[in-house]
Amino acid sequence: MTRHPSEVPQTEVPRGGTAFGVMLRSLRRTARLTLEDLAGASGVSVRALGDLERGRSRGPQRRTVDALAAALRLDAEQRERLQRLADAGRERGGPPSPPYLLRTVPDFTGREHELAELQALATGTRTRAAVLFGPGGQGKTTLAAEAVRRLSGSFPDGSVCVQLHGMSDSPLPAAEALVLLLTALGHPPDRIPVDPVAREAVYRATLANRRTLVVLDDAADEIHTRPLLPDAEGSFVLVTSRRPLAGLEGVRRIRLGGLSGGESATLLKRILGAPRTDGQSEAITRLTELCGHLPLALRIVGNRLSSRPSWTPARLVSQLADEESRLSGLIAGDLAVRGALALSYDQLTPPHRLLLRRLALLPGHDTGPDLAAVLTGEDPFTTGDSLDLLVDRGLLEETAPGRYALHDLVRLFARERLDGEEPESVAREVQLRMADWLLRSASAAGRMFEAPGAPEPWPGATAPFAPESAAEAEEWLTTERSNWAGALPLMYAAGRHAEVLHTSRTLYWFSDRWSQWPEWRTLFSYGARSAAAVGDRAAEAHQLNCLAWAHGVGAYQYEQAEQLARRALELAIEVGDEGQQAWAWSYISGACLGGRPAEAAEAAAKATRLFEAVGDTAGKAVSQRVLGKALRQSGRAEEALTLHRTLLDTSAGDVPGLNEYIEALLRHEIANDLLALERWPEAVAAYRTITTPLAHGNLDRFQAQSLTGLATALRHCGELREAREHLTRAYGLFKAAGDTASAAETATAIEALG
């Protein structure tokens, strides 16, 4: 016959006990000692021991606890836990009370989605436990306290909380937590079983017969948490932890990230009050960014300003702007971001600490296992497991499947630990090894898009990344672009100019597929500087031309593009390179468009003649298209139309994917020519033939310009509704491309249509 937990015999438990007394008796019996044995070994009288176990003496002094711990041969963790119960008994000094109270804050901000989810879970009938998890400093305990306040009406039997000390060196064992919980739930201490299994059964039976909200704050792991979860009915348990506790069954996990920008600003304003924040919106926004929207950091900033009435938010911005001292500035009394992160760091194994430290060397925002493995020398599979563990510990974020990033403040912390725990020479060696790996991989990927005449593979070693297809190469170059671009200044500073130049050359043809990437300005700038460093004037001319293209086509910075192209022209003339002279004139022509059409036409004509001389049909098509645009801007739209139509019929090149791109550009120019000639129906038909080349990206602005031209032609044809639809799409594309001026013009055109 199976007994109900409440019927478990309690003959071994002394009446009138306390949490300390129950634990002391449990430890004594585990050690197989009588009261007399323990008295003899510890020097504490039998009577005093009896009073302690029966609860007549609630909180012995430390020397007594030390004597008992020595007699019982407790390890350091057990000794600390026994002392903790003794301290709690002295602090209470009266009848048992809840072991841990969560404190709400009056300026609580945000987390409405999480609170709504907790409300639904707590009032439902299926899930009886939830885990709030996330990195240190995200406000898990504060959210739990707010949840207790808001959910109090759903739990008529009240709430109890227990601090599990999961981030300490000695987390509270489940058996001891059960003593605290049962005491808080009003269970007579003399009826708490000594046997942990029986104790757990009594706890679950107690919760099943009540509607109580139990908060387990700062759980270490599944072992310390599982015995404290309820059965499938009755009460609800809310767990906070830095880990997701993935091994727990039947719980809902809610991850906490940073606050939104608006929530962060609101929190600071609530802490400081309106008089301190009125007119300071720019400084408040900057403070939230420097805090990485981490609630703990925001609280520290707010408290620091509150304690210094003469300080303005702008003054604290200037203090925190320096990355090297930012963590030292994020301290207010006993609150410190560095301390919160150190708790998690100190619990890592040495290999995991090494990985976290070296992730601070990454030049980009995120990484995959392959690149991270280069930092430690481990294989990618082992590194992937380690990255996942760092995510579980709240020190890393998985931004996308297989991609991992450090929070800004964690990156600063990791960099501090790297500087403090590894020699500078080792860090430099690792960083250069990583940069070498990135540029070799980028060169290997870039070769998948090269035209005839491209440079040979990187000499001396096999590329660490060898893509099997252009699609795989493009995915790698896109995903890792902030990292390989960030490796360029590292390799340049190390004098690795040949490698920098080789990377720039092998990515030349690929760059045309994503013309608006800002990384191209970085690539070709370091390419030009490396070419100059090795004294290769022809290569420098080529790199400067590429840089002119990146500024003009990629960023619409036409003044800088013209200056760079003219410098490239000087070098190309010096070394007698007619091909680079042609490209220089072509970029000069493009830079002159819009304000100096006559100069643009003259430069384009020079480029065309030079391209013909060297037999570069693709370059000739580009320069003639620009010549046509210059003719149209000069009021010679008929000539431009004839030229563009001829080019469309005859253009061809040797570069894979470029023909389709040039065709799309030419169709766009033909439509623009017809628009300038006010041949509205023909312009509509021409715009409808334009398609976006699949082999090119970042073409939002190109599509928006086509839609705007089509809308203009449709408006003149009386098709106002369709014109408005296209303008609306164009507005969104201009915004996405960052072209605010064109977006504003398009918005005005939409309003004009009514």
Side-chain angles (χ1 to χ4, degrees), residues 58-302:
R58 294 184 175 275
Q61 298 299 318
R62 177 171 291 276
R63 62 178 178 275
T64 302
V65 175
D66 288 342
L68 293 172
L72 292 167
R73 298 183 180 180
L74 303 183
D75 60 26
E77 293 185 8
Q78 292 173 314
R79 181 190 300 262
E80 182 179 339
R81 290 195 293 269
L82 193 63
Q83 184 63 59
R84 192 184 298 146
L85 291 177
D87 294 342
R90 287 198 305 276
E91 290 170 3
R92 289 198 294 269
S97 60
Y100 186 60
L101 296 175
L102 293 176
R103 185 179 64 85
T104 59
V105 292
D107 47 33
F108 182 87
T109 302
R111 306 301 192 196
E112 295 302 323
H113 175 77
E114 291 86 350
L115 286 165
E117 186 171 358
L118 288 174
Q119 173 75 46
L121 292 171
T123 56
T125 58
R126 301 187 64 182
T127 303
R128 305 313 307 150
V131 177
L132 290 176
F133 73 99
Q138 293 291 5
K140 297 179 289 295
T141 299
T142 302
L143 175 57
E146 183 67 15
V148 169
R149 186 183 72 81
R150 296 196 189 188
L151 297 175
S152 58
S154 301
F155 296 96
D157 294 315
S159 63
V160 295
C161 310
V162 65
Q163 167 62 265
L164 299 180
H165 300 283
M167 295 309 297
S168 72
D169 293 333
S170 55
L172 187 68
E176 296 179 28
L178 285 168
V179 172
L180 298 177
L181 286 167
L182 285 169
T183 303
L185 289 166
H187 201 84
D190 60 322
R191 302 295 296 169
I192 297 176
V194 172
D195 177 60
V197 176
R199 192 180 298 169
E200 183 179 336
V202 171
Y203 168 72
R204 286 210 169 96
T206 302
L207 289 185
N209 294 323
R210 304 185 186 189
R211 284 287 295 166
T212 301
L213 176 59
V214 178
V215 180
L216 308 175
D217 191 30
D218 190 19
D221 51 37
E222 293 86 345
I223 294 175
H224 289 81
T225 309
R226 187 177 286 108
L228 310 180
L229 298 182
D231 288 325
E233 58 183 34
S235 300
F236 185 81
V237 172
L238 177 58
V239 184
T240 72
S241 177
R242 296 197 181 188
R243 308 179 189 180
L245 305 182
L248 295 182
E249 308 85 356
V251 305
R252 179 70 62 85
R253 293 171 183 82
I254 302 175
R255 180 181 178 88
L256 293 192
L259 298 176
S260 68
E263 290 170 340
S264 299
T266 299
L267 177 57
L268 282 182
K269 292 175 182 177
R270 287 178 176 173
I271 296 173
L272 295 172
R276 297 286 301 279
T277 57
D278 286 347
Q280 296 285 325
S281 59
E282 184 176 347
I284 291 293
T285 298
R286 182 59 182 145
L287 279 177
T288 65
E289 293 169 348
L290 292 171
C291 291
H293 305 291
L294 184 73
L296 174 60
L298 294 165
R299 174 71 57 186
I300 290 171
V301 164

Side-chain angles (χ1 to χ4, degrees), residues 580-639:
Q580 291 306 314
Q581 293 175 45
W583 281 112
W585 280 117
S586 180
Y587 295 134
I588 291 170
S589 175
C592 292
L593 285 172
R596 295 142 59 196
E599 291 182 49
E602 181 181 357
K606 290 179 179 179
T608 298
R609 290 194 294 271
L610 286 166
F611 279 129
E612 287 178 341
V614 298
D616 188 340
T617 56
K620 178 181 176 182
V622 171
S623 63
Q624 286 187 301
R625 179 177 62 83
V626 177
L627 175 59
K629 292 177 68 172
L631 291 173
R632 183 176 66 243
Q633 291 179 6
S634 302
R636 300 158 64 183
E638 282 287 0
E639 294 179 54

Side-chain angles (χ1 to χ4, degrees), residues 41 111 184 190 260 268 341 358 398-399 405 409 424 452 490 557 573 619 643-644 684 687:
R111 306 301 192 196
D190 60 322
S260 68
L268 282 182
L341 296 176
R358 292 186 177 180
E398 189 171 13
T399 55
L409 297 181
E424 184 180 353
L490 300 174
Q557 298 169 347
I573 291 173
L643 176 57
H644 287 142
V684 169
Y687 279 118

Side-chain angles (χ1 to χ4, degrees), residues 527-610:
R529 294 168 67 182
S530 287
V534 298
D536 190 336
R537 311 287 270 179
E540 186 180 359
H542 176 228
Q543 294 298 300
L544 286 170
N545 267 330
C546 294
L547 187 57
W549 167 85
H551 278 278
V553 176
Y556 320 120
Q557 298 169 347
Y558 299 115
E559 183 177 349
Q560 296 96 315
E562 183 176 359
Q563 292 174 358
L564 290 163
R566 290 193 180 279
R567 173 59 181 156
L569 179 62
E570 293 175 3
L571 291 172
I573 291 173
E574 179 183 325
V575 298
D577 189 332
E578 290 187 329
Q580 291 306 314
Q581 293 175 45
W583 281 112
W585 280 117
S586 180
Y587 295 134
I588 291 170
S589 175
C592 292
L593 285 172
R596 295 142 59 196
E599 291 182 49
E602 181 181 357
K606 290 179 179 179
T608 298
R609 290 194 294 271
L610 286 166

